[in-house]
Amino acid sequence: MSADPAHHRDPDEPLFPMPPLTEAALRVAVARVDLSAAVRFEQEFHAAWQEAVQTDSTVPMHTFLHRWGVFVALRRIPSRAARLDELERAVGRAPTLEEARAASTEIAALLDMAAREAAE
């Protein structure tokens, strides 16, 4: 994360308020929570824009904004971001299908919570 954790004392508190689902606001937020993701954000933004123009539809842009809103919602709270990373590693290392499913279920719950937060 690019946000300075030393200055952020409570890992359960957001680093910043949830931004509106606009390209400019999400661009800033993505850069704050994960500078390396900012490159992907730009690539996906241009791809979504091209698809929107080619299909004469706003759906690609709405999908792009929603996806990155969820990304920011997941990562703007340090404890949530850490838990997501932990669960993703657990799925990859799970010795049994049941353990992988349990971690995947928790990931799904985090994604659902982030999607609701992004939609507010």
Side-chain angles (χ1 to χ4, degrees), residues 27-93:
R27 177 178 282 120
V28 170
V30 168
R32 283 190 70 186
V33 296
D34 186 345
L35 197 53
S36 66
V39 174
R40 271 193 339 271
F41 178 93
E42 292 301 328
Q43 292 168 339
E44 290 182 20
F45 170 74
H46 292 293
W49 182 259
Q50 277 188 323
E51 184 180 348
V53 169
Q54 290 171 351
T55 61
D56 194 28
S57 172
T58 60
V59 171
M61 292 308 296
H62 287 290
T63 302
F64 167 82
L65 294 172
H66 173 76
R67 178 202 175 314
W68 284 97
V70 170
F71 178 90
V72 168
L74 281 169
R75 287 163 181 83
R76 72 188 189 95
I77 300 173
S79 62
R80 188 187 295 172
R83 183 64 180 150
L84 177 63
D85 290 344
E86 182 181 312
L87 289 166
E88 288 174 338
R89 285 190 302 274
V91 168
R93 290 185 294 214

Side-chain angles (χ1 to χ4, degrees), residues 9-28:
R9 305 219 188 285
D10 185 351
D12 293 325
E13 289 296 317
L15 297 170
F16 50 85
M18 184 65 199
L21 296 187
T22 66
E23 172 258 335
L26 289 174
R27 177 178 282 120
V28 170

Side-chain angles (χ1 to χ4, degrees), residues 101-113:
R101 281 187 179 144
S104 295
T105 298
E106 193 173 340
I107 290 171
L110 285 174
L111 286 169
D112 187 50
M113 180 187 325

